[in-house]
Amino acid sequence: ESDQDMSVRLSSAYLNLTPRLRSILTLFGNKRGGAPYVLTAGAKSHGFAPKKQTKSKQTNVGLVDRIKSSIPEAFLTLVKEASQSIIACGGKVLLYERPGWTFHAKGIWITANDADTSRRELIHDPTTIVSTIIGSGNYGARSEDLDVECNCIIVFNDQSKTEQIQQSVANDWNNMCEHSTVSNNLDFEEDINKLTTIVVQFMKKFL
């Protein structure tokens, strides 16, 4: 395949892009004529979203509880940092929010020469998928440097035999997008508290 007009879509429950991965994603916008699209959990559908507490528990909040409650805001801070380079090269950041659901999807979809320009974050033509990655990696620092992950890379060469699989993996991505909001201008608090700042620095290295 030509390296022009290629786009990459990445889903991660815990978005913590390393500099190396961020550089690779932006290549799809800067040099390959496509764009990077990143999908991650919003504040309410995050795996660490604070659970409702009784009044008695609310009045007895310890340090561990405070750390847990700061994790979603810390992750959204990481999303904001990543979004600056993603949006700058023509990409989009999507936040998954669905009442009663927790987002934990992960994967990569690479497409080439998708001519439909409406809602470009979607995969309109499944046959444009040239490769996808299915596995355990969250595409963060821990997955890259610490954990042993198990990923399956599928490359589609013969469309006459793979069209059904391409349709299935395209549906996976598109269905998630239907419950997501495209955030071209992420507006989070600039002055995060000291505890959240500490959590952010920890997550950059270990999550």
Side-chain angles (χ1 to χ4, degrees), residues 95-107:
L95 298 179
Y96 183 95
E97 292 284 21
R98 190 176 182 183
W101 287 64
T102 298
F103 183 81
H104 204 267
K106 56 202 75 172

Side-chain angles (χ1 to χ4, degrees), residues 20-38:
R20 181 167 58 179
L21 180 55
R22 190 180 307 179
S23 176
I24 293 172
L25 291 175
T26 55
L27 281 177
F28 283 84
N30 293 331
K31 295 185 178 181
R32 301 199 172 186
Y37 303 99
V38 176

